[in-house]
Amino acid sequence: MSLRRPLIASLTALSLFGLAGAARADIHIGVTLSLTGPGASLGIPAENALKLWTGEMAGQKVRFTVLNDATDSTTATKNTQKLITEEKVDLIIGSSVTPTSLAVVETAGAAGVPVVSMAGGGAIVLPQDGPRKWAFKLSPTEPISVNMVIDHILKNKGKTIATIGAANSYGDGFLKVVEQLAAAKGLKLVAVEKYTPTDQSVTAQTVKILAANPDAVYILSSGTPGALPQIELAKRGYKGAVYQTQGVANNDFLRVGGKDLEGGYMTVAPVLVAEQLPDASPVKKPAVDFVHRFETKYGAGSRSLFAATMWDALLIVQQAAGQAIKKAQPGTTEFRSALRDNIEGMKEFVGSQGVFNMTPADHNGVDHRSQVMVRIENGTWKLVRD
């Protein structure tokens, strides 16, 4: 009897462990992307990257519920409510642009569900209070990109700049930083124009910009609508430098703008020119790895920094989930909180777009390594070296 009791105890323990393992819920990630509307050129590549992911994450089964918000903030809110109340997701990835991401964050943050946004506006995570405590974003905040552009203009003897931006939270966020940094660095802002992403013409705004005769024009927009001002400037013979944000950096933008984009500059995530990066770049290896994965599936030249943003988001969530699963089971409030805490504590995480160091005060966590300057030459992206 004394010999059997330990065996029975061991079998009982194994049975309980097996039951506990069987009871484990899958990690459930909700995704809301702009698969139609003005942000579709950002959302579709992100969904394609999601399709590359296997059925596991941190040793657990993972499932995704993907919804289309059609680049509409009201729809993004409804999607978020559905993902939280009906699907009971552990985390939400999305949305593709800043206005829809803000809608996601407000709803998810109030419910205590962490969000990793695909968009670039600093307002998604700043200031770090209220629902934004649950929000993270991977694209760099505006100052990193704007500083790089202003320094490039000054280096090339430019003294004046004009902007034309989308009349939304993305364009306004960039404009605010341009106004601050241009004044601080001695670059004169001579014209500020806006347009809506659904506008078919920006002729009136372009005429005003040309009348101000700036040395450079900075277009503050996202998706294919960002091509419109640059096309108009080219048609009217503007000879100064034209800069864009990485919100337009996709092949659809190149297709829509065609030859009128030639010679334009933009700051982008390094993954867009992965093979051109110097070997010393910490992101070169993961960037080249992602490009290989993506282009093997979708064809040569199909790379997209918006796809890479999704891939980095999945890698970050996977690392956070590996730690969170030690504290709580998926599907619980405790697991969602642990996911949030572990993303916030991430240090020197190297992705295809940059190196991430999150803190309670910084839910973006990237530095200058998240951006490079490129120039459009012969319809392709060329790295601008110092």
Side-chain angles (χ1 to χ4, degrees):
M1 181 68 70
S2 63
L3 292 175
R4 293 183 61 193
R5 290 177 72 177
L7 178 59
I8 294 171
S10 296
L11 288 172
T12 302
L14 286 171
S15 297
L16 290 173
F17 180 81
L19 288 171
R24 278 191 171 185
D26 298 345
I27 297 172
H28 191 179
I29 297 175
V31 182
T32 177
L33 297 171
S34 301
L35 301 176
T36 56
S41 63
L42 288 66
I44 292 172
E47 186 184 35
N48 287 339
L50 182 64
K51 292 175 182 177
L52 295 177
W53 197 263
T54 62
E56 290 192 353
M57 181 173 284
Q60 294 287 112
K61 289 184 178 179
V62 61
R63 59 192 178 100
F64 302 96
T65 298
V66 182
L67 301 176
N68 175 21
D69 58 42
T71 327
D72 177 74
S73 295
T74 299
T75 305
T77 297
K78 292 178 180 178
N79 285 355
T80 306
Q81 291 168 338
K82 176 181 174 64
L83 292 171
I84 293 170
T85 60
E86 297 180 26
E87 300 294 338
K88 312 294 185 185
V89 298
D90 296 303
L91 176 141
I92 294 175
I93 296 177
S95 177
S96 305
V97 297
T98 298
T100 50
S101 288
L102 291 172
V104 173
V105 169
E106 286 295 323
T107 303
V113 176
V115 175
V116 180
S117 171
M118 302 286 96
I124 296 166
V125 294
L126 295 171
Q128 261 296 293
D129 56 18
R132 287 177 294 276
K133 286 184 175 293
W134 292 86
F136 301 87
K137 78 180 191 74
L138 307 186
S139 298
T141 48
E142 296 92 345
I144 294 174
S145 304
V146 174
N147 263 317
M148 189 174 289
V149 167
I150 290 177
D151 288 347
H152 192 261
I153 294 171
L154 293 173
K155 182 179 179 180
N156 287 280
K157 312 302 182 184
K159 297 180 179 179
T160 59
I161 183 175
T163 67
I164 177 169
N168 57 28
S169 52
Y170 184 83
D172 291 345
F174 264 94
L175 176 59
K176 182 178 180 180
V177 177
V178 171
E179 289 173 335
Q180 293 171 345
L181 295 181
K185 295 194 171 190
L187 185 65
K188 187 176 181 181
L189 183 59
V190 295
V192 173
E193 295 295 328
K194 295 184 180 183
Y195 71 109
T196 64
T198 55
D199 284 348
Q200 299 300 307
S201 171
V202 291
T203 299
Q205 296 95 319
T206 305
V207 168
K208 291 178 182 177
I209 288 173
L210 293 175
N213 194 31
D215 295 320
V217 177
Y218 199 178
I219 300 171
L220 314 173
S221 189
S222 62
T224 51
L228 184 61
Q230 194 161 350
I231 292 171
E232 190 68 23
L233 285 166
K235 290 185 182 301
R236 291 183 173 274
Y238 179 67
K239 300 302 182 183
V242 178
Y243 296 84
Q244 294 266 6
T245 73
Q246 76 168 24
V248 301
N250 60 69
N251 288 335
D252 278 348
F253 170 77
L254 294 177
R255 175 184 57 79
V256 169
K259 60 181 178 58
D260 290 328
L261 304 180
E262 284 292 305
Y265 295 96
M266 66 179 67
T267 54
V268 299
V271 69
L272 203 63
V273 287
E275 300 88 347
Q276 300 176 47
L277 297 173
D279 291 340
S281 170
V283 303
K284 182 170 185 175
K285 183 176 179 180
V288 170
D289 174 71
F290 170 75
V291 167
H292 174 74
R293 290 173 185 267
F294 197 80
E295 295 194 347
T296 296
K297 174 71 173 179
Y298 298 108
S302 61
R303 74 187 64 186
S304 161
L305 63 86
F306 307 107
T309 303
M310 172 62 78
W311 191 253
D312 282 357
L314 293 170
L315 293 175
I316 285 171
V317 173
Q318 174 173 250
Q319 179 162 310
Q323 297 299 316
I325 201 72
K326 298 174 183 178
K327 298 180 179 179
Q329 291 297 300
T332 64
T333 299
E334 293 78 10
F335 183 72
R336 291 192 289 271
S337 293
L339 276 177
R340 193 214 76 90
D341 293 346
N342 284 308
I343 297 175
E344 185 179 81
M346 199 159 285
K347 303 299 179 190
E348 286 298 298
F349 182 90
V350 183
S352 66
Q353 300 193 89
V355 182
F356 297 89
N357 286 283
M358 304 287 188
T359 70
D362 184 359
H363 279 197
N364 180 212
V366 296
D367 55 25
H368 67 280
R369 294 173 289 184
S370 69
Q371 294 279 271
V372 294
M373 181 77 74
V374 299
R375 190 171 188 263
I376 299 173
E377 297 180 11
N378 298 317
T380 61
W381 321 100
K382 296 295 182 182
L383 179 67
V384 175
R385 299 180 184 272
D386 291 337

